[in-house]
Amino acid sequence: MIACINSPRHPSIETLCEWLQTAHTPWEGGVMYMPGRGAEVRCSLWAVSALRLAGRRLREEGRLVEWIRELQNPDGGFGYWVGRGSDMTSSMSAVAILTSLGRDANNEIDHRSLTGFVMRCLRPDDAAATPRGLSSGSATAQASYILHSLGQRDLAEKTANCLGELSIMSGFRETRASLPSLYATYQALLAYGQNDRLPMSSSSLDRFLAKLVSKTGEIGWTPLQQSGQDPLAVALFTLLKRKADDPAFSLPVLALTA
């Protein structure tokens, strides 16, 4: 849905927005990923961001905020749903939901313990998804986003600057041994954007996006994967292309994993 918001060629924005409203589960406060499944914090953020891009809001925001409060784990982080261990993607999702709804995360959750969780995931030159996990570009970008949202601006910028080591071919990658990807590049731009910086020119971003398109027009996650087009890849590509065409465009906040 998020790729076709505000597109005059798409006739069913209202229908899609209403579907997202009904995905807000009546028996718990989050938004479910698909019918018959429980609520998940990551797709709750996707729903909030998609509705916001369409100029709409979730009808029962209070229930979602209360669910986020209850989702915080004793270690300070957040998991995908109640009972799941903490990880960086879920933690960023929780913070981004609150921020997108106009709430101050410092007032809604235990920000000190969340900061502690993020600090335990930081490495000298990057960050990991969990305190004992492997480092990645996505986790580094997400850590920077969380720290910035909690007021740790200097540390957030320092963490975002670590992403420079993962820049290649005008895109960003998960590790130094991997190819640049759509999801890693999208999250790097979100992290840099909080510091009012674009780490590449619009023409450089355009060149990277062009490398993802096959001769038949299919969009891949990386320059070497241009077949079996994924709907999410199309969405991220569309949003990044809009950013390349209009640097002032604010990318919807999405927390992604490899």
Side-chain angles (χ1 to χ4, degrees):
M1 170 188 168
I2 204 164
C4 59
I5 291 296
N6 295 334
S7 170
R9 295 173 296 176
H10 200 290
S12 56
I13 294 300
E14 289 298 334
T15 300
L16 292 171
C17 287
E18 186 57 33
W19 187 89
L20 286 177
Q21 297 284 3
T22 59
H24 194 180
T25 59
W27 56 88
E28 56 182 331
V31 178
M32 61 183 172
Y33 179 72
M34 59 189 295
R37 294 286 296 271
E40 183 193 306
V41 67
R42 180 181 54 172
C43 60
S44 296
L45 171 61
W46 296 350
V48 168
S49 292
L51 289 169
R52 185 180 185 187
L53 189 60
R56 294 154 177 83
R57 299 178 71 101
L58 200 63
R59 281 194 286 265
E60 298 184 71
E61 294 178 353
R63 284 203 299 118
L64 178 56
V65 172
E66 184 59 32
W67 184 72
I68 293 296
R69 294 192 194 108
E70 296 173 352
L71 198 63
Q72 189 166 18
N73 288 322
D75 65 1
F78 293 78
Y80 281 146
W81 52 77
V82 176
R84 279 291 298 265
S86 301
D87 65 83
M88 197 67 74
T89 300
S90 299
S91 298
M92 175 189 167
S93 297
V95 170
I97 287 171
L98 296 173
T99 301
S100 296
L101 296 180
R103 307 290 186 109
D104 184 349
N106 288 292
N107 295 330
E108 300 289 349
I109 57 176
D110 185 346
H111 63 94
R112 290 186 178 85
S113 63
L114 175 55
T115 300
F117 171 77
V118 174
M119 296 295 289
R120 291 193 295 276
C121 294
L122 293 182
R123 307 290 188 265
D125 299 313
D126 48 30
T130 62
R132 296 184 180 180
L134 298 175
S135 300
S136 71
S138 293
T140 304
Q142 291 162 4
S144 176
Y145 182 94
I146 294 171
L147 291 168
H148 189 280
S149 298
L150 298 180
Q152 304 287 333
R153 303 293 175 85
D154 291 341
L155 183 55
E157 184 169 5
K158 179 181 178 182
T159 303
N161 287 339
C162 295
L163 294 167
E165 294 294 320
L166 297 173
S167 177
I168 188 173
M169 295 171 60
S170 300
F172 289 82
R173 49 192 175 170
E174 282 290 88
T175 68
R176 290 172 178 81
S178 62
L179 288 169
S181 67
L182 263 175
Y183 54 83
T185 299
Y186 193 96
Q187 292 176 114
L189 293 186
L190 283 179
Y192 277 106
Q194 284 191 302
N195 297 297
D196 298 319
R197 289 194 292 134
L198 189 63
M200 63 182 76
S201 65
S202 294
S203 58
S204 293
L205 181 55
D206 254 335
R207 285 196 297 273
F208 169 66
L209 295 174
K211 293 182 176 73
L212 304 176
V213 183
S214 70
K215 293 180 180 179
T216 58
E218 289 188 308
I219 297 168
W221 284 105
T222 72
L224 293 184
Q225 189 261 308
Q226 298 173 339
S227 61
Q229 184 168 272
D230 188 299
L232 182 57
V234 177
L236 297 181
F237 181 95
T238 302
L239 292 167
L240 287 177
K241 185 66 174 74
R242 184 170 173 184
K243 182 69 173 178
D245 294 340
D246 178 13
F249 171 64
S250 296
L251 290 170
V253 181
L254 304 172
L256 307 163
T257 52

